[in-house]
Every structure is written in C-alpha cells, then in structure tokens.
Amino acid sequence: MPDMKAVKRALVHPMQRRLINPLGRKVSPTLLETTGRKSGQPRVTAVGGRMIDGAFWLVSEHGEHSDYVKNIKADPAVRVRLKGTWHTGIAQLLPDDDPRARLQQLPGGNSAVVRLVGTDLLSIRIDLT
C-alpha cells in the first residue's frame, strides 16, 4: 500500500513550488527568509503565522520534508518580514509542540489550508533578536 502522506506531498509540492509560493512572495505580508543549505543563497517563502509572547510562531505543513525546514536545520538564523519590516531571529523546530493546537492560535485562513494540505505538521518558533 502506498504511503498516502508521500503521495499527498507529491501532488501538493509542485503546485506550491511553481504557483502558490511565487505568488505568495509577491502578495504575502509575512515572509520567511532562510539560507539555502546547498546554495548558501537567501531563500524566501511566504508563511502564515503570528507573534505570540514576543516570538513568531508558524506551522510547517510538511514538517521536515519542507525545504525551508531543511534549511533551518542546517542554519537556524532566519529573517522574518512582518508588516513590511524585516526582523532577524533564530528558528527552533518544536516536534513536541501540538501543531493542531498551535494552528488555533494562528491566522484562520492560513491555518485552514495547512490543515487541509498538510501531511506532517511541525510547529516552529522564531525568537526575534
């Protein structure tokens, strides 16, 4: 029997990479910049999240399968653009946090999409400096 999470990721990932992410980088008020683990170049991804108690929180829909999560694992120093201003920070992957409960604290529209297309939800906290 095929791994249904892998099948879902295989269907969703190309659409996100070629359509949703390029559009999101142009229109999203919230962007995450990581350093490419192979290229060393800045990589920008539109994300949905929220400031909670001085830290920026988000949930990765594909967890450690997401390229930006792989980049964070290689180098946790990131930048986040909030309301047009870039902030530096250190990202922490939190596999012990309940990502479904976390999504209830984050923006509703993005959270609904993450729940719909997500396969391996992973909470991420970015401590802004």
Side-chain angles (χ1 to χ4, degrees):
M1 181 168 197
D3 176 2
M4 294 312 290
K5 287 183 179 182
V7 170
K8 189 174 185 181
R9 269 193 311 275
L11 294 171
V12 170
H13 184 73
M15 182 175 57
Q16 287 174 319
R17 185 174 198 138
R18 290 181 179 86
L19 179 65
I20 296 168
N21 289 346
L23 179 62
R25 284 191 292 270
K26 292 180 181 178
V27 302
S28 177
T30 309
L31 299 174
L32 173 65
E33 181 184 87
T34 60
T35 300
R37 64 196 177 281
K38 296 177 186 175
S39 70
Q41 297 299 309
R43 299 293 181 221
V44 178
T45 304
V47 295
R50 175 172 283 148
M51 290 294 297
I52 300 172
D53 297 329
F56 183 78
W57 287 83
L58 67 140
V59 173
S60 169
E61 58 201 17
H62 300 302
E64 294 191 18
H65 298 283
S66 295
D67 287 330
Y68 73 87
V69 172
K70 292 175 185 177
N71 291 343
I72 288 170
K73 287 178 78 170
D75 181 356
V78 300
R79 292 195 320 149
V80 180
R81 189 182 80 176
L82 304 169
K83 298 180 183 174
T85 302
W86 285 98
H87 305 270
T88 59
I90 302 297
Q92 293 190 37
L93 307 178
L94 301 170
D96 293 331
D97 190 65
D98 180 348
R100 294 199 178 276
R102 183 66 57 194
L103 284 170
Q104 293 176 354
Q105 298 177 316
L106 303 181
N110 182 75
S111 293
V113 172
V114 169
R115 278 190 291 273
L116 178 67
V117 302
T119 56
D120 294 295
L121 304 183
L122 175 65
S123 297
I124 301 171
R125 184 184 75 227
I126 300 173
D127 298 313
L128 301 179
T129 56

